[in-house]
Amino acid sequence: RELLKPIAQPGDVILDLLAGSSTTGAVALEYGCFYVGYDINAVFNRIGAKRLSSIKESAAQNNPNILPTPKIPVLSFHPQP
């Protein structure tokens, strides 16, 4: 939260290449930003997508800064051994 606060403006796109459970995404949504998160672990991708979906559903009613979800699919990448 403290890292994004001084730089994030509503409408900005925040890119997180080590998304994990999308904590950065949750904060980005709170600040009215779009969020693109990536994690090599498909489990974290699912957790993050579910978390952000839940946040958007509940927060959109209370926070006018929450932006509509762009129609971009969540992708998982699994390198071949």
Side-chain angles (χ1 to χ4, degrees):
R1 179 176 316 280
E2 296 305 316
L3 293 175
L4 286 181
K5 188 175 184 176
I7 61 169
Q9 299 294 318
D12 284 353
V13 177
I14 306 299
L15 173 62
D16 185 2
L17 297 177
L18 303 169
S21 62
S22 298
T23 299
T24 301
V27 174
L29 293 178
E30 179 182 323
Y31 290 148
C33 299
F34 290 103
Y35 173 72
V36 177
Y38 171 83
D39 200 287
I40 196 167
N41 186 323
V43 173
F44 280 124
N45 286 330
R46 285 191 296 274
I47 291 169
K50 183 175 180 180
R51 178 181 189 188
L52 295 177
S53 177
S54 174
I55 289 170
K56 285 180 76 65
E57 287 175 13
S58 62
Q61 298 168 9
N62 302 320
N63 185 346
N65 288 331
I66 299 292
L67 298 171
T69 304
K71 302 301 181 194
I72 300 172
V74 175
L75 303 176
S76 297
F77 173 74
H78 301 283
Q80 299 297 318

